[in-house]
Amino acid sequence: MKKILALVMTCAIGMTMFLGCSGNGQGATSDAGATGNKAQSDTITMVWYPNESGGDLEEARNEIGTIIEKATGKKVEHKLTTDYSIAIEAIANGTGGIAFMGAQGYVEAHTKNDKVLPLMIASGESGTIDDAVYYSWLSVSKEKAEDYKKDGKYSIDNIQGKRMSYVSNSSTSGFKVPTTNIVSYFSKEDKWKNLTAEDLMEGGSDKFFSEVLYGGSHQGSAVNILTDKADVAAFCDTNLVNYVDVADGKINEVGTTYKVKADAAEPFNTLDGKEFVAISSTPVLNAPFVINTEVISEEDKQKLIDAFTSDEVANNKKVFVEKDSDTKGFFTKSGDEKFITVEDSWFDPIRELSK
């Protein structure tokens, strides 16, 4: 626990980004321990971020839904979204019972309603919490990558004045972490000593960036640099692995080149062969599955924990997808990955980024 918190706080706030290298239905309650005044239901609504709402990930979503249905005996309805704020509000107000969201989104939902709590996260390759991280990239198109080198090494020194693309201002790896790192780095200069994350949200001639775009998803932010709508883009590794291959370098290292797959699904289906380079890469706390305990009973919560943390799910190749598999999923299996439970306090490093 201490190890992972120290790792993330050091990487997310410090300078390690240069060293290496996310149908409406009533949420369910039962008479066995649910709190609040939500109506009982035999249906659980599973809420998905835009990143996971694409048609190419339907099988992966359905597999998660099947596990929930078998564990609780209740029907699952999937609520797909086009905006982070919709998903956050749905889990906070109880129209969603379970959601898969980034750490920042969870913190925002918990702030709105403290009955929203983490259910589980995917572990790291070790099968523990110690390496339960993914990576936030700042990337540029391959054609312009040389413009982002200093003394022969990739850096973010030259991003000022450029067109910037984020995912959403509620995205952990697509906004919160990169803006924190940018402020930390550039505020050492007299010109930018008063720079804040809020200053990075909009572009203009008197702003840090000349223009700021929001992709709406990690995929959308990546498309913005590949179509020359932006010069620099923030997005994460986990939402891009289904669409790109490593063309040169090692995954999650600074300077690695990624290439869009020939058979990539939308929105990359017209970008076959396009390449980008990660000029920074920062570890981020793994995204949680969260529940609204006003609509998910304590009994169902325990059933869900028992099911998802089982060896059966850890070995489910539709959940933890093996390397080089044609299956599209949310999690990869390269070691002993599995689901593990965490407490609300595990996300305190993300809260610290807003202070």
Side-chain angles (χ1 to χ4, degrees):
M1 178 68 176
K2 293 180 179 178
K3 180 178 178 181
I4 187 66
L5 295 186
L7 168 66
V8 173
M9 286 303 295
T10 299
C11 294
I13 299 178
M15 296 312 304
T16 54
M17 63 185 295
F18 310 109
L19 301 180
C21 58
S22 196
N24 288 327
Q26 176 61 47
T29 59
S30 78
D31 56 2
T35 60
N37 298 313
K38 303 295 181 182
Q40 290 186 6
S41 174
D42 59 0
T43 299
I44 294 176
T45 298
M46 177 75 212
V47 183
W48 299 97
Y49 266 181
N51 315 303
E52 289 79 35
S53 292
D56 59 314
L57 292 170
E58 182 177 7
E59 184 178 8
R61 292 192 300 269
N62 288 341
E63 189 66 19
I64 296 296
T66 296
I67 295 170
I68 295 171
E69 289 180 339
K70 288 182 177 179
T72 64
K74 296 174 179 176
K75 179 184 177 182
V76 169
E77 291 186 356
H78 297 278
K79 179 179 178 63
L80 310 183
T81 64
T82 57
D83 189 280
Y84 274 51
S85 62
I86 295 173
I88 293 168
E89 184 60 31
I91 193 67
N93 68 25
T95 55
I98 307 175
F100 179 51
M101 59 204 320
Q104 177 63 25
Y106 162 67
V107 168
E108 292 182 19
H110 180 79
T111 299
K112 288 174 177 284
N113 183 354
D114 63 8
K115 300 300 183 183
V116 176
L117 293 171
L119 182 67
M120 62 192 177
I121 62 167
S123 75
E125 185 176 352
S126 69
T128 71
I129 202 171
D130 291 342
D131 54 351
V133 295
Y134 64 109
Y135 286 81
S136 170
W137 296 339
L138 281 181
S139 299
V140 300
S141 67
K142 176 67 172 178
E143 293 83 356
K144 300 179 181 179
E146 290 298 314
D147 296 339
Y148 298 89
K149 283 186 174 181
K150 181 179 181 180
D151 300 326
K153 296 181 179 180
Y154 288 105
S155 79
I156 66 167
D157 284 82
N158 295 331
I159 67 172
Q160 193 277 315
K162 298 297 194 297
R163 299 170 298 166
M164 179 69 196
S165 175
Y166 302 114
V167 174
S168 159
N169 59 13
S170 291
S171 172
T172 312
S173 56
F175 181 79
K176 184 62 68 175
V177 168
T179 54
T180 299
N181 282 328
I182 292 168
V183 169
S184 177
Y185 187 72
F186 283 92
S187 61
K188 294 179 175 64
E189 300 179 12
D190 287 342
K191 182 179 180 180
W192 303 109
K193 62 183 179 181
N194 296 318
L195 187 68
T196 67
E198 288 71 23
D199 297 328
L200 303 176
M201 295 178 68
E202 296 181 353
S205 58
D206 60 338
K207 301 290 187 179
F208 185 88
F209 292 118
S210 61
E211 184 180 355
V212 170
L213 298 83
Y214 292 87
S217 66
H218 289 266
Q219 296 92 325
S221 188
V223 167
N224 281 340
I225 55 167
L226 295 175
T227 56
D228 198 34
K229 293 179 180 178
D231 301 304
V232 184
F235 47 88
C236 75
D237 62 325
T238 57
N239 285 122
L240 268 291
V241 294
N242 288 327
Y243 310 97
V244 302
D245 290 318
V246 172
D248 183 46
K250 294 182 178 180
I251 191 167
N252 290 323
E253 289 189 355
V254 169
T256 295
T257 299
Y258 301 89
K259 184 176 183 178
V260 176
K261 296 179 180 180
D263 61 346
E266 294 183 350
F268 298 93
N269 55 312
T270 62
L271 299 170
D272 176 15
K274 287 283 190 177
E275 295 182 324
F276 63 85
V277 177
I279 63 171
S280 76
S281 183
T282 306
V284 183
L285 293 173
N286 270 355
F289 282 86
V290 308
I291 60 171
N292 185 319
T293 58
E294 291 181 305
V295 294
I296 299 292
S297 70
E298 185 63 30
E299 179 183 359
D300 281 344
K301 174 185 175 182
Q302 191 58 52
K303 289 178 179 178
L304 291 167
I305 290 173
D306 291 344
F308 277 98
T309 59
S310 68
D311 289 340
E312 180 181 358
V313 170
N315 294 319
N316 185 327
K317 295 180 181 179
K318 291 184 179 180
V319 177
F320 290 98
V321 180
E322 293 183 332
K323 185 178 180 181
D324 300 326
S325 171
D326 291 333
T327 300
K328 301 292 191 298
F330 308 130
F331 312 97
T332 56
K333 190 76 165 183
S334 55
D336 295 324
E337 288 90 349
K338 60 185 178 181
F339 289 119
I340 53 178
T341 59
V342 291
E343 300 296 327
D344 170 73
S345 60
W346 194 66
F347 299 95
D348 284 348
I350 302 302
R351 295 184 173 97
E352 289 293 326
L353 298 182
S354 298
K355 292 183 178 179

